[in-house]
Each structure stands twice: as C-alpha cells, then as structure tokens.
Amino acid sequence: MKALGILGALVLAMSSTGLTEAHSSSMAIRPKLVGGQKFTVFDTPIPLPIDSSAINPAVPVDAKAKVEIVSTAIVGLLSTELKIPTSNIRVTSAYTDAASGITHIYLVQTIDGKDIANSVANVNVDANNHVISSSHSFAPAASLVSAAKIGTDGLESSDTAKDALSLLATHIGVSLTKTELDAATSAMINSVVSDEPQLLVESLPAAFAIDGTAKVNREYIQQGDGSVVPVWRVVVEQKDHWWNAHIDVSGQKVISLSDWYAQSESYFVYAKDTLSPADGSRVMVVDPAFTSASPKGWVTGDSTSGNNVWAQSNPFGGSTWQNNHRPTAQSGGVFNYTIDLTKAPKAYVDAAITQLFYSNNIMHDLSFIYGFDEAAGNFQDENYSGEGVGGDYVVAFAQDGGGTNNANFATPPDGQNPRMRMYIWTETKPNRDGDLEQDIVAHEFTHGISNRLTGGPTNTDCLNDGESGGMGEGWSDAVANILRLKSTDTKHTDFILGDYVYTKSIRNYPYSTSLTTNPSMYSLLDDPNYEEVHAIGEVWAEMLYEVMWALIDKNGFAKDIFAHDLTKGNSIMLQILLDGMKLQPCNPTFIDARDAIIQAEKNLTGGKNKCAIWTAFAKRGLGVNAPRSDGGSHTDDSTVPSGC
Ligand SMILES: *[C@@H]1O[C@H](CO)[C@@H](O)[C@H](O)[C@H]1NC(C)=O
Ligand SMILES: *[C@@H]1O[C@H](CO)[C@@H](O)[C@H](O)[C@H]1NC(C)=O
Ligand SMILES: CC(=O)N[C@H]1CO[C@H](CO)[C@@H](O)[C@@H]1O
Ligand SMILES: [Ca+2]
Ligand SMILES: [Zn+2]
C-alpha cells in the first residue's frame, strides 16, 4: 500500500559521532540525535489495519477499549516498519481528544522493559482510524542489540547510584561530599509512572535536595550517534530547580539534563516605560512576563520565539519565518546584545529582534489583561484556557527588507498567524530602526486587536474602509498614546507619534488637548485631504486623546497600566476602548464607535464618566446631534446629553 510508511520520509541517518546539544538558556543538555525527529503530516491519511467496525464510533464502545485497540495496531505498525520487536516498544500514554476525536498515542522504545529515555514516538489517529501524522526518534534496531545491558542487579547497586548523584552535583555546581553521600540511606519504592521500581535515596544535604531525597532508577539513553547506553536517571528537587538527569556512570558524564522549573528570562531592552533610545537607556528586565497572560513565560526554547510571538530578521522581505535568523539566549536565558546607534541598524539586528520580541510580548500581555484574551481571539500558539483557536502567535519581522519608513500588520482570522513588518527609517543618517520605538510596535499590534475584536475573532474584515478603516488607524495611535503615558504628563502634554524614527510627527498634528495645536474636528472628515485612512484615524485618535485626558483628570492616573486598576483614568480608557470594540458592529461609523465606548463605560462603572466622555467627544464635534454620515456630510455638534 505505502511507499511512505506511517513514519513518512523520516530517515535514521546515523553518520557522525555523539553530538550534544547544549541549551544555553539554562543548564539543560540533551543528546542531539543525528537521525533527528521529524514530524510528518500525511496528506493522505493511512488506514490502520484494524477491524474498524469493532470500534465504530457510532457504537458506544467504551473509549478506553478503542484507545487500546488503536495503540496495539500502532505498536504493530512501528514494529514492522522499523524492524524492532514489539517487546521493545511501550505505550507511555494514549487518549482520544473529546473535541477533535483524534487519538494521540505516545510511545517509548525499551530494552528488557527499561525505557530508552529519549527514544520516543507519537502517532495521531483520526476518528476514522487513519494515521494523520507521526514522528519518532527511535534508535536503530542494531543499537538495541549492541547496547551494554543493565544487569538484573543494577538497581540494587546503590554505590553506582551514589556515583551518579556525585557526578550530577559536580555538573550543577552543588557541593556533595563523600561523607554526606555515605550518610545517605536508600530504599526501594514503586514508580508512579511505570511498573519499574526506583531507589529512593534519603538523608541527603538540603543544598543538593531540598527535601533530602533523590529518586533514581535505571534506564537507557540514545546518544547522538544512535548508540544506546545504560544510565542512571536521577530526579532531584532544589529551591529553584527540579532536575531530571541521565548519567552514564561508566562514562563519568551527565548525558542529559532538564529542569522542570520554568526558565528565567531576561532582556536587555528599552523597557515598557521607555519610548525609544531618545527617551532613556536600555535596562535588564528579568522575567517580565505577566503570569495571568503568559503563564509559561514568553520564550519556548532558547531564541526569540514563544507562545505569543516569534521575532526574527527578514532582510529580503520574504514571508516565511521558521528558518529566519533569531538570536539565541546566553546562559541563564539572557538576551543581551549590543547597540551602537552610530552604525546602520543591521549592525544591531539581534538587539532589534530582542526589542521587537519584548514589545510584542508586552502588547500581548497588556491586551490580554484588558480582555483581548484567548476567547476573544488573541494571538497565541497554545490557548491555555481551551477557548478560542490557537496556533496563531504573531510573526514579527525586524528590519524587514520589504520597505522603508513604515511598518505594517496583517490580521487573518483567529487561528492563523498575523504578520508584523517593521521597516528601517531613512530620515536620518545613520538610519533608524522602527523596532526600537515602542509606539510604532504598539500601533501595529493594535491593528491586530481592533481587527480581531470588531465583528468577532473569525471576521477580520470589519475595519477595512471608510470611517471604520480610519478608526482602525486611530485606535492604533490611541493605544500607543495610552502605553507611553508617564506620571509627569498632563493634559497639556502633546504626543508625537514616531518622533524617534521620523524626528517629526508622521501625522498632520501632534496629539493635544489644545484646539490650536490640534484643530481636528469631526467636520474635518469632509475635507478632501481627509479621505485617507491615517488622516481619518488622526481625527478619531484626537477625539480619544480628549477622552483619555478627561478620564485621567476625573479619576486619576495609574502609574502602572498593567496593574489593571479600573478606578484610574488611563486604565478605564484602555478597558472601554477594548470593550467598545467588542460591542460595536462590523464596519462601524464614528457615531457607532462612540456609542459603543459610552455603553462599555456604562457597563464598567455604571456610567460614572458618562458626561466626561460626552464632553470630550462634543469638544471635537461628535456631540449627541452629530449626524451619522459615512461618506456624507460631517457637521460638528457640541451638544452634550441633558444633565451633563
Ligand atoms: C550585557 O553584555 C555585555 C557584554 O556584551 C556585558 O558587558 C554587560 O554586563 C551585560 N549586561 C548585563 C546587564 O548583563
Ligand atoms: C461588562 O463588564 C463586565 C465586568 O465589569 C465584563 O466582564 C463584561 O465583558 C462587560 N460587558 C460588556 C458588554 O462590555
Ligand atoms: C490549537 C488550538 O486551537 N487549541 C485549542 C484552543 O481551544 C479550543 C477549545 O477548547 C480547542 O478546540 C483547540 O484545540
Ligand atoms: Ca487565537
Ligand atoms: Zn496603522
């Protein structure tokens, strides 16, 4: 039937020597298998050789029985395809996902019933019992035969177990003396995850094991060249670590090491309260992720890629990103790269990518806290709440070669990755990099927020023309303005978007509560020069600037917008902007969007700020009698509701 087995095109090329992949962001190490582990998705799913009628989904056989039948068939297939006895394959877990109907089977290779820790496989089977994808890192059959075998007395040899503990202590830099090891006792216990017995070593010093214990058992591990060696597996918990190590006692080395604790992340960046290089210096921020928004941190692995965003360079302006350049963290998860602003931006591309990664994650977490979460269709690879569609982290291109003096953001529906492109700005010599100016990134990210929230997560065609398209630009400026507020700002402070990269305003006027500095009124939309989205957006953002200051003057200022203190003006502002987007119809007019904001405020505070908001809108001509007029005549009206 199949030229391509269920393992697809995966080759087990075993050519070179035992490489070890060092993960610089932590002390973790793991053998880099030359055969690799490639995930294969089958365009034509492969039917399993089982009697499907026995597990017809229409017949309510118990789900466990189905999983067992399917798992057995998978073990058989793997055995045939890889020429490995079925006795060398163990199913570690298997379940059918209730929503998708897909059965996920996870397996490990074994020798005499003991696991080869890093020789694993997973196979996904659809509801009709067809294999839809699979992957494996199994060792070649010959390696199983040639491996030195663990004797039956292996576990009882607590002396070599103690040697393993000693090797681990040295590796992680913790003192563990021979006297301390001699004082330790050991006892056999049963493992919770397999039938394999374990040795529990007790009375260890607290510096090495926080509860005085380490669990050890015998396993095998596959080395980089595909050969298999017996090891001691050691699990030991410390204050900030929970190590899972595989140690080759005869070879005197730690072969693999992982830490079940989340890694630390640090970034040397213009922090969120620093708008650009013109506004302050870079600082080291440590573990900046907000737990509620990014419970597992920002980084997955050791480069600028994670659950919310993947940031990379893109010198030729292409649209693929997986293999583009991303900086790798230094030891301890530290992203720290030099910037020399007297040089062209490409000289500091790693710092720029790091900054872009940081700023996008800041926008992810901020907008999450204010309700652009998984259910609302935000941008995440994995949606921890189980709501919304995942698989759609932001693909952010730093120093994108596709353009200059601009930036853009494309928002497909929920479940598909948006794209952010940041260009180099050529107004100055040397050129400047938009990645380093937070309001440009915030502006672009907010396009994603407004497009996903207006009209629901699966419709991103609700802000694409007329007034609605212009307001899309306006919200982006407005959120950038909220993010850059400092406690020293007052309603007399004017904001200029893009002042670092462009050295002057990229808009017609600064954002200002002065009608002289910024004369934008609703009626300006009738000006033939105001048909373009950014011009329309500028009028909308100016109205929102008035609303923002009205709310801050009435409610005070939250120094930390991330604290989500909804008694404070700037926090109320951001909240009602996002809530208003959720409320408003597809292709809203200025009037619709204003009304949605007023309804959102009513829902949030019971209408405490109703008059302040109306007064701010009315100041710019969007009073209660302003006509709804998408494309027609926009007459200014300064009326506020009676009672205000
Ligand atoms: C960042 O790296 C530089 C070397 O490139 C080093 O001198 C500096 O101390 C590092 N900064 C921090 C905060 O670790
Ligand atoms: C109303 O406010 C509550 C919390 O105050 C919020 O959960 C809800 O989403 C809001 N509803 C609307 C329609 O804005
Ligand atoms: C990747 C993805 O979409 N993950 C899940 C997000 O949450 C929904 C609801 O539970 C799941 O159906 C998705 O599989
Ligand atoms: Ca999503
Ligand atoms: Zn824009």
Side-chain angles (χ1 to χ4, degrees):
M1 164 200 72
K2 51 193 189 309
L4 216 62
I6 65 161
L7 298 171
L10 183 63
V11 281
L12 284 163
M14 292 301 161
S15 46
S16 72
T17 51
L19 294 167
T20 290
E21 192 170 332
H23 279 251
S24 50
S25 59
S26 70
M27 296 173 72
I29 48 173
R30 65 165 186 257
K32 183 171 185 166
L33 304 179
V34 173
Q37 172 162 7
K38 186 170 167 290
F39 184 53
T40 308
V41 173
F42 300 101
D43 293 335
T44 310
I46 299 165
L48 281 179
I50 54 175
D51 177 7
S52 288
S53 67
I55 49 172
N56 181 343
V59 179
V61 290
D62 104 65
K64 236 176 125 183
K66 167 174 170 152
V67 168
E68 248 165 55
I69 294 169
V70 170
S71 299
T72 306
I74 294 298
V75 169
L77 273 185
L78 284 177
S79 158
T80 309
E81 205 162 308
L82 299 173
K83 303 186 173 56
I84 292 168
T86 55
S87 60
N88 287 112
I89 304 173
R90 181 170 84 85
V91 174
T92 49
S93 58
Y95 68 94
T96 304
D97 183 86
S100 65
I102 295 171
T103 302
H104 306 284
I105 298 132
Y106 304 90
L107 311 102
V108 65
Q109 215 174 5
T110 62
I111 296 177
D112 296 336
K114 291 191 168 63
D115 292 350
I116 307 174
N118 56 345
S119 300
V120 295
N122 71 304
V123 182
N124 302 309
V125 177
D126 71 11
N128 302 319
N129 305 316
H130 287 55
V131 177
I132 55 170
S133 54
S134 71
S135 133
H136 87 104
S137 63
F138 276 12
S143 298
L144 306 186
V145 179
S146 60
K149 302 297 183 303
I150 296 168
T152 45
D153 63 338
L155 196 56
E156 291 70 35
S157 171
S158 56
D159 280 353
T160 61
K162 286 183 178 177
D163 289 348
L165 297 184
S166 175
L167 283 165
L168 175 61
T170 305
H171 185 91
I172 60 177
V174 174
S175 152
L176 183 61
T177 63
K178 185 170 183 310
T179 318
E180 285 166 334
L181 270 174
D182 286 345
T185 57
S186 55
M188 298 295 297
I189 57 164
N190 284 320
S191 160
V192 286
V193 288
S194 71
D195 299 333
E196 280 291 295
Q198 292 187 329
L199 199 62
L200 180 70
V201 182
E202 295 176 288
S203 307
L204 289 161
F208 178 73
I210 193 157
D211 62 353
T213 72
K215 292 190 183 114
V216 289
N217 65 284
R218 298 297 322 244
E219 284 183 1
Y220 291 90
I221 200 161
Q222 186 187 163
Q223 305 194 92
D225 61 0
S227 65
V228 171
V229 291
V231 284
W232 281 100
R233 171 172 182 249
V234 177
V235 174
V236 63
E237 194 175 351
Q238 297 176 321
K239 191 167 145 286
D240 300 315
H241 300 283
W242 195 346
W243 301 112
N244 179 29
H246 289 90
I247 297 151
D248 173 7
V249 172
S250 57
Q252 291 281 297
K253 62 179 187 234
V254 177
I255 294 189
S256 89
L257 180 66
S258 61
D259 186 353
W260 291 339
Y261 265 97
Q263 293 168 11
S264 169
E265 302 172 10
S266 330
Y267 306 87
F268 196 53
V269 284
Y270 300 102
K272 57 184 165 39
D273 53 0
T274 303
L275 182 62
S276 72
D279 185 38
S281 302
R282 293 191 298 164
V283 294
M284 189 60 85
V285 294
V286 180
D287 291 334
F290 290 80
T291 316
S292 59
S294 298
K296 295 185 186 169
W298 289 348
V299 174
T300 311
D302 57 6
S303 78
T304 49
S305 63
N307 201 46
N308 311 325
V309 57
W310 285 38
Q312 49 274 313
S313 66
N314 199 30
F316 306 109
S319 56
T320 54
W321 67 94
Q322 290 89 344
N323 298 320
N324 290 27
H325 169 72
R326 283 180 291 275
T328 303
Q330 292 121 326
S331 170
V334 179
F335 293 88
N336 171 11
Y337 308 98
T338 52
I339 284 191
D340 181 349
L341 295 171
T342 67
K343 298 220 170 91
K346 69 174 187 315
Y348 50 83
V349 65
D350 284 349
I353 297 169
T354 300
Q355 186 71 44
L356 185 63
F357 183 74
Y358 171 82
S359 299
N360 267 274
N361 275 298
I362 282 291
M363 285 302 296
H364 168 275
D365 286 7
L366 179 68
S367 56
F368 187 105
I369 291 166
Y370 283 80
F372 181 46
D373 56 15
E374 293 154 10
N378 78 346
F379 310 125
Q380 289 184 202
D381 194 23
E382 192 184 333
N383 42 9
Y384 304 116
S385 69
E387 293 185 88
V389 189
D392 59 352
Y393 54 83
V394 175
V395 172
F397 291 126
Q399 301 185 357
D400 190 287
T404 52
N405 299 323
N406 215 331
N408 61 41
F409 195 94
T411 319
D414 197 14
Q416 298 173 50
N417 302 100
R419 302 273 191 291
M420 176 185 283
R421 291 181 193 274
M422 303 299 292
Y423 300 143
I424 302 291
W425 294 68
T426 59
E427 196 66 21
T428 57
K429 288 280 170 244
N431 295 338
R432 291 185 177 172
D433 183 341
D435 298 304
L436 306 188
E437 181 161 349
Q438 178 181 258
D439 56 3
I440 307 280
V441 180
H443 174 104
E444 298 309 333
F445 194 98
T446 304
H447 277 303
I449 303 175
S450 59
N451 274 307
R452 285 277 174 90
L453 291 184
T454 307
T458 58
N459 185 354
T460 52
D461 296 300
C462 290
L463 297 177
N464 44 20
D465 64 5
E467 290 184 23
S468 70
M471 285 190 294
E473 295 301 336
W475 278 300
S476 284
D477 282 10
V479 171
N481 285 340
I482 295 170
L483 188 58
R484 73 183 281 184
L485 278 167
K486 290 181 162 58
S487 49
T488 46
D489 293 328
T490 71
K491 71 171 169 214
H492 304 297
T493 311
D494 298 339
F495 281 179
I496 291 174
L497 189 78
D499 48 5
Y500 168 69
V501 287
Y502 200 50
T503 67
K504 52 189 180 266
S505 180
I506 57 178
R507 304 291 179 236
N508 294 314
Y509 303 105
Y511 290 114
S512 174
T513 58
S514 154
L515 287 161
T516 317
T517 308
N518 187 324
S520 303
M521 298 292 289
Y522 185 45
S523 57
L524 200 52
L525 299 187
D526 291 342
D527 186 321
N529 293 323
Y530 274 73
E531 281 167 7
E532 193 271 336
V533 285
H534 296 91
I536 298 171
E538 191 179 332
V539 178
W540 179 238
E542 174 55 29
M543 292 176 177
L544 297 177
Y545 197 71
E546 295 281 4
V547 175
M548 177 180 85
W549 279 113
L551 290 171
I552 294 170
D553 281 356
K554 186 167 160 57
N555 301 280
F557 179 74
K559 275 202 185 116
D560 179 10
I561 186 92
F562 292 80
H564 201 211
D565 175 359
L566 293 174
T567 67
K568 294 293 195 292
N570 45 339
S571 302
I572 295 171
M573 181 68 191
L574 185 55
Q575 189 64 65
I576 63 178
L577 281 194
L578 267 58
D579 286 351
M581 290 174 195
K582 294 177 180 176
L583 292 166
Q584 71 197 2
C586 193
N587 289 310
T589 61
F590 271 46
I591 304 280
D592 295 331
R594 177 203 60 194
D595 291 352
I597 287 170
I598 288 167
Q599 182 173 63
E601 196 280 328
K602 183 172 181 208
N603 180 55
L604 186 67
T605 72
K608 214 176 110 197
N609 301 293
K610 176 181 152 190
C611 290
I613 296 173
W614 272 112
T615 305
F617 276 121
K619 178 176 169 187
R620 297 286 170 172
L622 204 63
V624 284
N625 297 322
R628 170 190 307 272
S629 177
D630 200 356
S633 146
H634 300 82
T635 313
D636 288 329
D637 175 69
S638 61
T639 318
V640 294
S642 58
C644 283

